[in-house]
Amino acid sequence: MGFHILLRDRKKEERNEALKVVTWAERDANDERSFIRIHVRNTADRPILYVGALYEGTEGIKRLPSNAPIVLKDEEITLEVPRYTNGRRTLARGIAFQDANGFSWVKDIASHDVYRQSRLRRGDPTLRMLFLSFGTFRLYRSTKKRMRRA
């Protein structure tokens, strides 16, 4: 029982550290602007790595990596997601990043909730976790079929 309590507390601490990554999207009222800016600010005590924006376009959800490989404490970066792909509007869904412990996380921009990626999954973990978290079954199902074929 004591071991279970220690594991639960450790997971809670890891989640609280991931929640300290603050994100918001900046959209202009002007539709002619070609990018949506996603701001990522690390307020956690440790750096985060491999930050990427997740957006939904015509071909499903894609990941746009940032130019900065590491975001230090109290540092902010901006990711520019294209507003339109193939003439259709895109939706900024969230960000994916890795914490200092090596765990991958997906953060939803709308609800500001975080989802931890299990190390045991195959395929692209950020996409699968994002599909499960947003409940978009159609997109998850098509990605699952694609992963099975590969």
Short mmCIF file of all heavy atoms in Angstrom, two decimals, residues 41-105:
data_model
loop_
_atom_site.label_atom_id
_atom_site.label_comp_id
_atom_site.label_asym_id
_atom_site.label_seq_id
_atom_site.Cartn_x
_atom_site.Cartn_y
_atom_site.Cartn_z
N ARG A 41 4.87 29.11 -22.79
CA ARG A 41 5.70 29.67 -21.72
C ARG A 41 5.93 28.59 -20.68
O ARG A 41 4.99 28.00 -20.15
CB ARG A 41 5.04 30.88 -21.09
CG ARG A 41 5.89 31.51 -20.01
CD ARG A 41 5.40 32.90 -19.69
NE ARG A 41 6.21 33.53 -18.69
CZ ARG A 41 7.36 34.15 -18.91
NH1 ARG A 41 7.83 34.21 -20.13
NH2 ARG A 41 8.03 34.71 -17.95
N ASN A 42 7.19 28.34 -20.36
CA ASN A 42 7.56 27.34 -19.38
C ASN A 42 7.70 28.01 -18.01
O ASN A 42 8.68 28.70 -17.76
CB ASN A 42 8.86 26.65 -19.78
CG ASN A 42 9.25 25.56 -18.83
OD1 ASN A 42 8.45 25.11 -18.03
ND2 ASN A 42 10.49 25.11 -18.92
N THR A 43 6.75 27.78 -17.12
CA THR A 43 6.83 28.31 -15.76
C THR A 43 7.26 27.23 -14.77
O THR A 43 7.30 27.48 -13.57
CB THR A 43 5.49 28.91 -15.32
OG1 THR A 43 4.49 27.89 -15.35
CG2 THR A 43 5.09 30.07 -16.22
N ALA A 44 7.57 26.04 -15.27
CA ALA A 44 8.04 24.95 -14.41
C ALA A 44 9.49 25.20 -13.98
O ALA A 44 10.18 26.06 -14.54
CB ALA A 44 7.94 23.62 -15.15
N ASP A 45 9.94 24.46 -13.00
CA ASP A 45 11.30 24.63 -12.48
C ASP A 45 12.35 24.01 -13.39
O ASP A 45 13.52 24.36 -13.30
CB ASP A 45 11.41 24.01 -11.09
CG ASP A 45 10.52 24.72 -10.09
OD1 ASP A 45 10.27 25.92 -10.28
OD2 ASP A 45 10.06 24.06 -9.13
N ARG A 46 11.96 23.10 -14.26
CA ARG A 46 12.90 22.40 -15.12
C ARG A 46 12.57 22.67 -16.59
O ARG A 46 11.45 23.04 -16.92
CB ARG A 46 12.83 20.91 -14.82
CG ARG A 46 13.21 20.65 -13.36
CD ARG A 46 12.84 19.28 -12.90
NE ARG A 46 13.63 18.28 -13.60
CZ ARG A 46 13.36 16.99 -13.53
NH1 ARG A 46 12.35 16.55 -12.83
NH2 ARG A 46 14.11 16.12 -14.19
N PRO A 47 13.53 22.48 -17.49
CA PRO A 47 13.28 22.76 -18.92
C PRO A 47 12.37 21.72 -19.55
O PRO A 47 12.22 20.59 -19.05
CB PRO A 47 14.68 22.73 -19.53
CG PRO A 47 15.48 21.88 -18.63
CD PRO A 47 14.92 22.09 -17.26
N ILE A 48 11.78 22.10 -20.69
CA ILE A 48 11.02 21.16 -21.52
C ILE A 48 11.71 21.06 -22.87
O ILE A 48 12.42 21.98 -23.30
CB ILE A 48 9.54 21.57 -21.66
CG1 ILE A 48 9.41 22.96 -22.28
CG2 ILE A 48 8.83 21.50 -20.34
CD1 ILE A 48 7.98 23.35 -22.60
N LEU A 49 11.51 19.94 -23.54
CA LEU A 49 12.22 19.65 -24.78
C LEU A 49 11.24 19.33 -25.90
O LEU A 49 10.11 18.92 -25.65
CB LEU A 49 13.14 18.44 -24.58
CG LEU A 49 14.05 18.46 -23.36
CD1 LEU A 49 14.54 17.07 -23.05
CD2 LEU A 49 15.20 19.39 -23.60
N TYR A 50 11.71 19.45 -27.13
CA TYR A 50 11.00 19.01 -28.33
C TYR A 50 9.55 19.50 -28.39
O TYR A 50 8.62 18.73 -28.59
CB TYR A 50 11.02 17.48 -28.45
CG TYR A 50 12.38 16.89 -28.26
CD1 TYR A 50 12.64 16.01 -27.21
CD2 TYR A 50 13.43 17.22 -29.10
CE1 TYR A 50 13.89 15.46 -27.02
CE2 TYR A 50 14.69 16.69 -28.93
CZ TYR A 50 14.92 15.80 -27.89
OH TYR A 50 16.16 15.27 -27.71
N VAL A 51 9.36 20.79 -28.23
CA VAL A 51 8.02 21.38 -28.26
C VAL A 51 7.55 21.42 -29.71
O VAL A 51 8.30 21.79 -30.61
CB VAL A 51 8.03 22.79 -27.65
CG1 VAL A 51 6.64 23.41 -27.72
CG2 VAL A 51 8.54 22.76 -26.23
N GLY A 52 6.30 21.06 -29.92
CA GLY A 52 5.73 21.11 -31.25
C GLY A 52 4.25 21.45 -31.18
O GLY A 52 3.56 21.07 -30.23
N ALA A 53 3.76 22.18 -32.17
CA ALA A 53 2.35 22.55 -32.23
C ALA A 53 1.58 21.44 -32.94
O ALA A 53 2.05 20.86 -33.91
CB ALA A 53 2.18 23.86 -32.98
N LEU A 54 0.40 21.13 -32.43
CA LEU A 54 -0.48 20.15 -33.05
C LEU A 54 -1.68 20.88 -33.62
O LEU A 54 -2.37 21.60 -32.91
CB LEU A 54 -0.93 19.12 -32.01
CG LEU A 54 0.19 18.31 -31.37
CD1 LEU A 54 -0.36 17.50 -30.21
CD2 LEU A 54 0.85 17.41 -32.37
N TYR A 55 -1.90 20.70 -34.93
CA TYR A 55 -3.03 21.38 -35.56
C TYR A 55 -3.74 20.41 -36.50
O TYR A 55 -3.14 19.48 -37.02
CB TYR A 55 -2.58 22.64 -36.30
CG TYR A 55 -1.69 22.39 -37.48
CD1 TYR A 55 -2.22 22.35 -38.77
CD2 TYR A 55 -0.32 22.22 -37.34
CE1 TYR A 55 -1.41 22.13 -39.87
CE2 TYR A 55 0.49 22.01 -38.42
CZ TYR A 55 -0.05 21.96 -39.69
OH TYR A 55 0.75 21.73 -40.77
N GLU A 56 -5.03 20.65 -36.67
CA GLU A 56 -5.85 19.79 -37.52
C GLU A 56 -6.08 20.48 -38.85
O GLU A 56 -6.63 21.57 -38.91
CB GLU A 56 -7.18 19.49 -36.83
CG GLU A 56 -8.02 18.50 -37.56
CD GLU A 56 -9.27 18.15 -36.78
OE1 GLU A 56 -9.42 18.59 -35.63
OE2 GLU A 56 -10.11 17.44 -37.35
N GLY A 57 -5.65 19.82 -39.90
CA GLY A 57 -5.82 20.35 -41.25
C GLY A 57 -6.66 19.42 -42.09
O GLY A 57 -7.44 18.61 -41.58
N THR A 58 -6.47 19.48 -43.39
CA THR A 58 -7.25 18.64 -44.30
C THR A 58 -6.83 17.18 -44.23
O THR A 58 -7.63 16.30 -44.47
CB THR A 58 -7.09 19.15 -45.75
OG1 THR A 58 -5.70 19.19 -46.07
CG2 THR A 58 -7.71 20.51 -45.91
N GLU A 59 -5.58 16.89 -43.91
CA GLU A 59 -5.09 15.52 -43.86
C GLU A 59 -5.01 14.96 -42.44
O GLU A 59 -4.24 14.06 -42.16
CB GLU A 59 -3.70 15.44 -44.50
CG GLU A 59 -3.68 15.76 -45.96
CD GLU A 59 -2.80 16.95 -46.26
OE1 GLU A 59 -1.98 17.30 -45.40
OE2 GLU A 59 -2.93 17.50 -47.34
N GLY A 60 -5.75 15.53 -41.52
CA GLY A 60 -5.73 15.04 -40.14
C GLY A 60 -4.87 15.95 -39.27
O GLY A 60 -4.56 17.09 -39.62
N ILE A 61 -4.47 15.43 -38.14
CA ILE A 61 -3.69 16.21 -37.19
C ILE A 61 -2.20 16.08 -37.50
O ILE A 61 -1.70 14.97 -37.67
CB ILE A 61 -4.01 15.79 -35.75
CG1 ILE A 61 -5.46 16.10 -35.46
CG2 ILE A 61 -3.10 16.50 -34.77
CD1 ILE A 61 -5.92 15.78 -34.09
N LYS A 62 -1.54 17.22 -37.58
CA LYS A 62 -0.11 17.25 -37.89
C LYS A 62 0.65 17.91 -36.75
O LYS A 62 0.09 18.69 -35.99
CB LYS A 62 0.14 18.01 -39.18
CG LYS A 62 -0.37 17.32 -40.39
CD LYS A 62 0.12 18.02 -41.63
CE LYS A 62 -0.24 17.21 -42.85
NZ LYS A 62 0.42 17.70 -44.03
N ARG A 63 1.93 17.60 -36.69
CA ARG A 63 2.81 18.20 -35.68
C ARG A 63 3.80 19.13 -36.38
O ARG A 63 4.44 18.75 -37.35
CB ARG A 63 3.56 17.11 -34.92
CG ARG A 63 4.45 17.68 -33.86
CD ARG A 63 5.18 16.58 -33.14
NE ARG A 63 6.10 17.18 -32.20
CZ ARG A 63 6.42 16.65 -31.05
NH1 ARG A 63 5.94 15.49 -30.71
NH2 ARG A 63 7.24 17.27 -30.25
N LEU A 64 3.90 20.35 -35.87
CA LEU A 64 4.83 21.34 -36.40
C LEU A 64 5.89 21.59 -35.33
O LEU A 64 5.61 22.19 -34.30
CB LEU A 64 4.08 22.64 -36.72
CG LEU A 64 4.92 23.78 -37.26
CD1 LEU A 64 5.36 23.48 -38.68
CD2 LEU A 64 4.13 25.07 -37.22
N PRO A 65 7.11 21.09 -35.53
CA PRO A 65 8.15 21.26 -34.50
C PRO A 65 8.63 22.71 -34.41
O PRO A 65 8.57 23.46 -35.38
CB PRO A 65 9.27 20.34 -34.94
CG PRO A 65 9.07 20.15 -36.40
CD PRO A 65 7.61 20.34 -36.67
N SER A 66 9.12 23.08 -33.24
CA SER A 66 9.64 24.42 -33.05
C SER A 66 11.11 24.46 -33.44
O SER A 66 11.76 23.43 -33.55
CB SER A 66 9.49 24.87 -31.60
OG SER A 66 10.37 24.14 -30.78
N ASN A 67 11.61 25.68 -33.61
CA ASN A 67 13.03 25.85 -33.93
C ASN A 67 13.91 25.70 -32.70
O ASN A 67 15.08 25.39 -32.81
CB ASN A 67 13.27 27.22 -34.56
CG ASN A 67 12.61 27.32 -35.92
OD1 ASN A 67 12.39 26.32 -36.59
ND2 ASN A 67 12.26 28.53 -36.32
N ALA A 68 13.35 25.93 -31.52
CA ALA A 68 14.11 25.84 -30.27
C ALA A 68 14.01 24.41 -29.73
O ALA A 68 12.92 23.95 -29.44
CB ALA A 68 13.57 26.82 -29.24
N PRO A 69 15.14 23.70 -29.59
CA PRO A 69 15.06 22.32 -29.08
C PRO A 69 14.76 22.24 -27.59
O PRO A 69 14.29 21.23 -27.11
CB PRO A 69 16.45 21.76 -29.38
CG PRO A 69 17.33 22.96 -29.43
CD PRO A 69 16.49 24.09 -29.94
N ILE A 70 15.01 23.33 -26.85
CA ILE A 70 14.81 23.33 -25.41
C ILE A 70 14.22 24.67 -24.99
O ILE A 70 14.57 25.72 -25.53
CB ILE A 70 16.14 23.04 -24.68
CG1 ILE A 70 15.92 22.87 -23.18
CG2 ILE A 70 17.16 24.12 -24.96
CD1 ILE A 70 17.13 22.30 -22.46
N VAL A 71 13.28 24.62 -24.03
CA VAL A 71 12.68 25.84 -23.49
C VAL A 71 13.00 25.85 -22.00
O VAL A 71 12.52 24.99 -21.25
CB VAL A 71 11.16 25.88 -23.72
CG1 VAL A 71 10.57 27.17 -23.16
CG2 VAL A 71 10.83 25.74 -25.19
N LEU A 72 13.80 26.79 -21.58
CA LEU A 72 14.23 26.87 -20.18
C LEU A 72 13.15 27.48 -19.30
O LEU A 72 12.12 27.95 -19.78
CB LEU A 72 15.52 27.69 -20.10
CG LEU A 72 16.71 27.15 -20.89
CD1 LEU A 72 17.85 28.13 -20.87
CD2 LEU A 72 17.14 25.80 -20.36
N LYS A 73 13.41 27.50 -17.99
CA LYS A 73 12.47 28.07 -17.03
C LYS A 73 12.23 29.55 -17.34
O LYS A 73 13.16 30.29 -17.65
CB LYS A 73 13.04 27.92 -15.61
CG LYS A 73 12.16 28.49 -14.54
CD LYS A 73 12.79 28.37 -13.19
CE LYS A 73 11.89 29.04 -12.17
NZ LYS A 73 12.47 29.08 -10.86
N ASP A 74 10.98 29.97 -17.26
CA ASP A 74 10.54 31.35 -17.51
C ASP A 74 10.89 31.85 -18.91
O ASP A 74 11.06 33.05 -19.13
CB ASP A 74 11.10 32.31 -16.45
CG ASP A 74 10.56 32.01 -15.08
OD1 ASP A 74 9.39 31.57 -15.00
OD2 ASP A 74 11.29 32.22 -14.09
N GLU A 75 10.98 30.95 -19.86
CA GLU A 75 11.25 31.31 -21.25
C GLU A 75 9.98 31.09 -22.06
O GLU A 75 9.19 30.21 -21.76
CB GLU A 75 12.40 30.45 -21.80
CG GLU A 75 12.93 30.92 -23.13
CD GLU A 75 14.14 30.11 -23.53
OE1 GLU A 75 15.22 30.33 -22.95
OE2 GLU A 75 14.01 29.24 -24.42
N GLU A 76 9.79 31.91 -23.09
CA GLU A 76 8.60 31.80 -23.93
C GLU A 76 9.01 31.67 -25.39
O GLU A 76 9.93 32.36 -25.85
CB GLU A 76 7.73 33.05 -23.76
CG GLU A 76 6.46 33.02 -24.55
CD GLU A 76 5.62 34.26 -24.33
OE1 GLU A 76 5.60 34.78 -23.21
OE2 GLU A 76 4.99 34.71 -25.31
N ILE A 77 8.34 30.79 -26.11
CA ILE A 77 8.56 30.65 -27.55
C ILE A 77 7.22 30.81 -28.26
O ILE A 77 6.16 30.66 -27.65
CB ILE A 77 9.21 29.30 -27.94
CG1 ILE A 77 8.31 28.13 -27.57
CG2 ILE A 77 10.58 29.16 -27.32
CD1 ILE A 77 8.76 26.82 -28.17
N THR A 78 7.29 31.11 -29.55
CA THR A 78 6.09 31.27 -30.37
C THR A 78 6.17 30.33 -31.55
O THR A 78 7.20 30.27 -32.23
CB THR A 78 5.96 32.72 -30.86
OG1 THR A 78 5.98 33.59 -29.73
CG2 THR A 78 4.68 32.92 -31.63
N LEU A 79 5.10 29.60 -31.79
CA LEU A 79 5.00 28.70 -32.94
C LEU A 79 3.95 29.26 -33.89
O LEU A 79 2.87 29.66 -33.45
CB LEU A 79 4.59 27.30 -32.49
CG LEU A 79 5.50 26.63 -31.47
CD1 LEU A 79 4.80 25.44 -30.85
CD2 LEU A 79 6.77 26.19 -32.12
N GLU A 80 4.26 29.30 -35.17
CA GLU A 80 3.32 29.83 -36.15
C GLU A 80 2.74 28.68 -36.96
O GLU A 80 3.44 28.02 -37.71
CB GLU A 80 4.00 30.85 -37.05
CG GLU A 80 4.33 32.13 -36.32
CD GLU A 80 4.81 33.22 -37.24
OE1 GLU A 80 5.18 32.92 -38.39
OE2 GLU A 80 4.82 34.38 -36.81
N VAL A 81 1.45 28.47 -36.79
CA VAL A 81 0.73 27.42 -37.49
C VAL A 81 0.03 28.05 -38.68
O VAL A 81 -0.57 29.11 -38.55
CB VAL A 81 -0.32 26.77 -36.54
CG1 VAL A 81 -1.18 25.77 -37.27
CG2 VAL A 81 0.37 26.12 -35.37
N PRO A 82 0.11 27.43 -39.87
CA PRO A 82 -0.59 28.01 -41.02
C PRO A 82 -2.10 28.03 -40.80
O PRO A 82 -2.68 27.06 -40.31
CB PRO A 82 -0.21 27.07 -42.18
CG PRO A 82 0.27 25.83 -41.54
CD PRO A 82 0.78 26.18 -40.20
N ARG A 83 -2.71 29.15 -41.12
CA ARG A 83 -4.16 29.30 -40.92
C ARG A 83 -4.95 28.48 -41.93
O ARG A 83 -6.01 27.95 -41.62
CB ARG A 83 -4.56 30.76 -41.02
CG ARG A 83 -6.03 30.99 -40.71
CD ARG A 83 -6.40 32.44 -40.79
NE ARG A 83 -5.96 33.16 -39.63
CZ ARG A 83 -6.72 33.39 -38.57
NH1 ARG A 83 -7.93 32.93 -38.52
NH2 ARG A 83 -6.26 34.08 -37.56
N TYR A 84 -4.42 28.34 -43.13
CA TYR A 84 -5.10 27.59 -44.18
C TYR A 84 -4.15 26.55 -44.78
O TYR A 84 -2.97 26.83 -44.98
CB TYR A 84 -5.57 28.52 -45.30
CG TYR A 84 -6.66 29.46 -44.88
CD1 TYR A 84 -6.36 30.76 -44.50
CD2 TYR A 84 -7.98 29.06 -44.85
CE1 TYR A 84 -7.35 31.63 -44.10
CE2 TYR A 84 -8.98 29.93 -44.44
CZ TYR A 84 -8.66 31.21 -44.08
OH TYR A 84 -9.64 32.07 -43.68
N THR A 85 -4.67 25.36 -45.03
CA THR A 85 -3.94 24.35 -45.81
C THR A 85 -4.87 23.86 -46.90
O THR A 85 -6.00 23.46 -46.63
CB THR A 85 -3.49 23.15 -44.94
OG1 THR A 85 -4.63 22.58 -44.32
CG2 THR A 85 -2.47 23.55 -43.91
N ASN A 86 -4.40 23.91 -48.12
CA ASN A 86 -5.18 23.51 -49.30
C ASN A 86 -6.52 24.23 -49.37
O ASN A 86 -7.54 23.65 -49.73
CB ASN A 86 -5.41 21.99 -49.31
CG ASN A 86 -4.12 21.23 -49.37
OD1 ASN A 86 -3.11 21.72 -49.87
ND2 ASN A 86 -4.13 20.02 -48.85
N GLY A 87 -6.53 25.51 -49.00
CA GLY A 87 -7.73 26.31 -49.08
C GLY A 87 -8.73 26.10 -47.96
O GLY A 87 -9.78 26.71 -47.94
N ARG A 88 -8.42 25.24 -47.01
CA ARG A 88 -9.33 24.99 -45.89
C ARG A 88 -8.69 25.47 -44.60
O ARG A 88 -7.49 25.40 -44.42
CB ARG A 88 -9.64 23.51 -45.79
CG ARG A 88 -10.30 23.00 -47.08
CD ARG A 88 -10.73 21.62 -46.93
NE ARG A 88 -12.13 21.66 -46.50
CZ ARG A 88 -12.85 20.60 -46.30
NH1 ARG A 88 -12.32 19.41 -46.44
NH2 ARG A 88 -14.11 20.70 -45.94
N ARG A 89 -9.51 25.93 -43.70
CA ARG A 89 -9.06 26.47 -42.42
C ARG A 89 -8.52 25.37 -41.51
O ARG A 89 -9.07 24.29 -41.46
CB ARG A 89 -10.21 27.18 -41.74
CG ARG A 89 -9.83 27.82 -40.42
CD ARG A 89 -10.95 28.64 -39.94
NE ARG A 89 -10.81 29.92 -40.60
CZ ARG A 89 -11.11 31.06 -40.04
NH1 ARG A 89 -11.61 31.10 -38.84
NH2 ARG A 89 -10.94 32.19 -40.68
N THR A 90 -7.45 25.67 -40.79
CA THR A 90 -6.89 24.71 -39.83
C THR A 90 -7.31 25.09 -38.41
O THR A 90 -7.66 26.24 -38.14
CB THR A 90 -5.35 24.70 -39.90
OG1 THR A 90 -4.86 25.99 -39.59
CG2 THR A 90 -4.86 24.27 -41.25
N LEU A 91 -7.25 24.13 -37.52
CA LEU A 91 -7.59 24.35 -36.11
C LEU A 91 -6.36 24.05 -35.26
O LEU A 91 -5.78 22.97 -35.37
CB LEU A 91 -8.73 23.42 -35.68
CG LEU A 91 -10.06 23.61 -36.35
CD1 LEU A 91 -11.01 22.49 -35.97
CD2 LEU A 91 -10.66 24.95 -35.97
N ALA A 92 -5.96 24.98 -34.43
CA ALA A 92 -4.85 24.75 -33.49
C ALA A 92 -5.41 23.94 -32.33
O ALA A 92 -6.30 24.39 -31.62
CB ALA A 92 -4.28 26.07 -33.01
N ARG A 93 -4.91 22.72 -32.15
CA ARG A 93 -5.44 21.80 -31.14
C ARG A 93 -4.66 21.83 -29.83
O ARG A 93 -5.24 21.79 -28.76
CB ARG A 93 -5.45 20.37 -31.66
CG ARG A 93 -6.45 20.13 -32.72
CD ARG A 93 -7.81 20.19 -32.13
NE ARG A 93 -8.81 19.70 -33.06
CZ ARG A 93 -10.07 19.66 -32.77
NH1 ARG A 93 -10.49 20.06 -31.61
NH2 ARG A 93 -10.93 19.22 -33.65
N GLY A 94 -3.33 21.83 -29.92
CA GLY A 94 -2.54 21.77 -28.69
C GLY A 94 -1.06 21.77 -28.98
O GLY A 94 -0.64 22.09 -30.09
N ILE A 95 -0.29 21.39 -27.97
CA ILE A 95 1.15 21.27 -28.14
C ILE A 95 1.58 19.91 -27.60
O ILE A 95 0.89 19.31 -26.78
CB ILE A 95 1.93 22.39 -27.42
CG1 ILE A 95 1.75 22.30 -25.90
CG2 ILE A 95 1.57 23.75 -27.94
CD1 ILE A 95 2.80 23.04 -25.12
N ALA A 96 2.69 19.45 -28.09
CA ALA A 96 3.32 18.23 -27.58
C ALA A 96 4.72 18.61 -27.11
O ALA A 96 5.39 19.43 -27.75
CB ALA A 96 3.39 17.18 -28.68
N PHE A 97 5.15 18.06 -25.99
CA PHE A 97 6.48 18.35 -25.48
C PHE A 97 6.96 17.19 -24.62
O PHE A 97 6.19 16.30 -24.28
CB PHE A 97 6.49 19.66 -24.68
CG PHE A 97 5.64 19.66 -23.45
CD1 PHE A 97 6.18 19.33 -22.21
CD2 PHE A 97 4.29 19.99 -23.51
CE1 PHE A 97 5.39 19.33 -21.07
CE2 PHE A 97 3.51 19.99 -22.38
CZ PHE A 97 4.06 19.66 -21.16
N GLN A 98 8.23 17.23 -24.31
CA GLN A 98 8.83 16.22 -23.44
C GLN A 98 9.38 16.92 -22.21
O GLN A 98 10.03 17.96 -22.32
CB GLN A 98 9.96 15.51 -24.18
CG GLN A 98 10.53 14.34 -23.43
CD GLN A 98 11.60 13.63 -24.24
OE1 GLN A 98 12.21 14.23 -25.14
NE2 GLN A 98 11.84 12.39 -23.93
N ASP A 99 9.10 16.37 -21.02
CA ASP A 99 9.60 17.00 -19.81
C ASP A 99 11.03 16.54 -19.52
O ASP A 99 11.60 15.75 -20.25
CB ASP A 99 8.66 16.74 -18.63
CG ASP A 99 8.58 15.28 -18.22
OD1 ASP A 99 9.30 14.44 -18.79
OD2 ASP A 99 7.78 14.97 -17.33
N ALA A 100 11.60 17.05 -18.44
CA ALA A 100 12.99 16.74 -18.11
C ALA A 100 13.18 15.29 -17.70
O ALA A 100 14.29 14.77 -17.76
CB ALA A 100 13.47 17.66 -16.99
N ASN A 101 12.10 14.60 -17.31
CA ASN A 101 12.18 13.18 -16.96
C ASN A 101 12.10 12.26 -18.17
O ASN A 101 12.25 11.06 -18.03
CB ASN A 101 11.07 12.82 -15.97
CG ASN A 101 11.24 13.50 -14.64
OD1 ASN A 101 12.35 13.80 -14.23
ND2 ASN A 101 10.13 13.75 -13.97
N GLY A 102 11.80 12.82 -19.34
CA GLY A 102 11.71 12.02 -20.55
C GLY A 102 10.31 11.59 -20.92
O GLY A 102 10.13 10.84 -21.87
N PHE A 103 9.30 12.04 -20.19
CA PHE A 103 7.92 11.70 -20.51
C PHE A 103 7.38 12.67 -21.55
O PHE A 103 7.61 13.87 -21.47
CB PHE A 103 7.03 11.74 -19.27
CG PHE A 103 7.35 10.67 -18.28
CD1 PHE A 103 7.97 10.98 -17.08
CD2 PHE A 103 7.03 9.35 -18.54
CE1 PHE A 103 8.27 10.00 -16.16
CE2 PHE A 103 7.33 8.36 -17.63
CZ PHE A 103 7.95 8.68 -16.43
N SER A 104 6.62 12.14 -22.50
CA SER A 104 5.98 12.96 -23.52
C SER A 104 4.59 13.36 -23.04
O SER A 104 3.86 12.55 -22.48
CB SER A 104 5.87 12.20 -24.83
OG SER A 104 7.15 11.91 -25.33
N TRP A 105 4.23 14.61 -23.30
CA TRP A 105 2.95 15.17 -22.88
C TRP A 105 2.27 15.85 -24.05
O TRP A 105 2.93 16.37 -24.95
CB TRP A 105 3.16 16.20 -21.77
CG TRP A 105 3.71 15.65 -20.51
CD1 TRP A 105 5.03 15.48 -20.20
CD2 TRP A 105 2.99 15.18 -19.39
NE1 TRP A 105 5.15 14.95 -18.96
CE2 TRP A 105 3.92 14.75 -18.42
CE3 TRP A 105 1.63 15.08 -19.09
CZ2 TRP A 105 3.54 14.23 -17.20
CZ3 TRP A 105 1.26 14.57 -17.86
CH2 TRP A 105 2.20 14.14 -16.93
#
